[in-house]
Amino acid sequence: MSNLLWAIWPVLTVLVFFYLVDSYDRETLFQLFKKFVLGMFVVVPVLIIGNFLNSLGKELGGEIYILYVAFVLAAFNEEFFKWLAFTGIKNKKYFNEYLDGIIYAVFVSMGFAIVENIIYVAQYGRETAILRAVTSIPMHMMFGVVMGYYFSLGHFSKKFIPKILSLVVPILLHGIYDYILLSKLDHLMLLFVPYFVFIVYSSKNMIRNYLKISKNEGIISNI
């Protein structure tokens, strides 16, 4: 039970934070819960497709295999299914301000992250929970921020390219993150902290930009 609490508290902290951030037109708990649960179910196709992709990459070796694992097996596989779950928002009533994209995408990402975290902590213990609380969970959160930011941009501008970027950019960011951690090139680890800070700074600015829009423009009815 103790390890389970260590696995879930970082995710719950993120969820509470973003629920409070969405202060101008807060989404209903029911809608947020649906996205969170949907994110949890994303683990199923990720594991199934992951096994298939892993079998395809068995013949690869060295840095090519690590690149494959980072960008295809992990980044593309996970972000694609999270993106599918997130973009299933049909009712415009619940997507009426720019910040909504970030909120929903983060809740989907955290649904996925909590299941993944429980699996890892069950296997490797509390030390892994602590490490993931300050690395993997925040990164999943920030990939969600980026995904929601670009999707909202496309949704309200009615442009296709930002919606594509809402998938492509998180895949690239996720792939770079995993490659830095997995690569056998020791000097790449020197990039981890600057890269982490860059993602934090970018995500904070994205949230701040959409909070300003919510404050100044409020609900956008012409969508």
Side-chain angles (χ1 to χ4, degrees):
M1 179 61 72
S2 177
N3 281 351
L4 179 62
L5 291 176
W6 275 95
I8 66 176
W9 76 258
V11 172
L12 295 180
T13 301
V14 171
L15 294 178
V16 170
F17 173 78
F18 275 87
Y19 180 73
L20 296 176
V21 162
D22 188 20
S23 56
Y24 294 103
D25 182 36
R26 185 164 290 155
E27 308 311 304
T28 67
L29 288 173
F30 179 66
Q31 290 298 320
L32 296 175
F33 181 72
K34 282 202 304 184
K35 286 300 172 186
F36 178 71
V37 171
L38 200 57
M40 294 175 70
F41 279 104
V42 162
V43 172
V44 176
V46 165
L47 289 176
I48 294 172
I49 301 301
N51 286 332
F52 172 72
L53 292 174
N54 189 46
S55 66
L56 291 180
K58 283 184 177 179
E59 301 303 319
L60 301 174
E63 287 298 312
I64 298 298
Y65 176 71
I66 293 174
L67 280 168
Y68 177 79
V69 170
F71 283 92
V72 180
L73 188 58
F76 173 78
N77 190 27
E78 293 178 14
E79 299 305 325
F80 175 72
F81 285 107
K82 286 193 287 184
W83 183 81
L84 283 182
F86 159 62
T87 55
I89 302 170
K90 302 296 183 183
N91 194 333
K92 293 179 180 179
K93 173 184 176 182
Y94 301 111
F95 199 167
N96 53 18
E97 62 174 338
Y98 278 83
L99 190 63
D100 288 351
I102 289 178
I103 301 299
Y104 285 126
V106 167
F107 268 73
V108 169
S109 293
M110 290 297 99
F112 175 85
I114 198 168
V115 177
E116 183 185 59
N117 218 33
I118 289 171
I119 293 172
Y120 273 102
V121 174
Q123 288 180 321
Y124 303 111
R126 185 175 301 180
E127 291 76 13
T128 297
I130 296 171
L131 179 62
R132 288 180 59 82
V134 296
T135 55
S136 299
I137 300 302
M139 291 303 278
H140 274 298
M141 175 196 76
M142 291 182 284
F143 299 149
V145 170
V146 174
M147 183 181 291
Y149 179 87
Y150 281 107
F151 189 83
S152 281
L153 200 60
H155 178 73
F156 291 107
S157 67
K158 302 186 185 300
K159 293 181 179 178
F160 183 68
I161 296 300
K163 290 186 177 182
I164 295 299
L165 291 177
S166 73
L167 173 61
V168 173
V169 177
I171 288 174
L172 291 176
L173 294 175
H174 191 156
I176 293 170
Y177 168 76
D178 279 2
Y179 182 63
I180 290 174
L181 293 181
L182 296 173
S183 178
K184 297 178 181 178
L185 304 175
D186 294 338
H187 63 275
L188 276 180
M189 281 303 297
L190 297 174
L191 299 177
F192 179 78
V193 172
Y195 184 67
F196 191 89
V197 171
F198 164 74
I199 302 295
V200 170
Y201 180 78
S202 300
S203 299
K204 183 178 73 172
N205 283 341
M206 289 176 177
I207 297 168
R208 184 174 293 172
N209 287 342
Y210 281 174
L211 278 172
K212 286 181 181 178
I213 292 176
S214 294
K215 181 179 179 180
N216 296 330
E217 299 183 17
I219 296 174
I220 302 172
S221 58
N222 185 27
I223 58 176

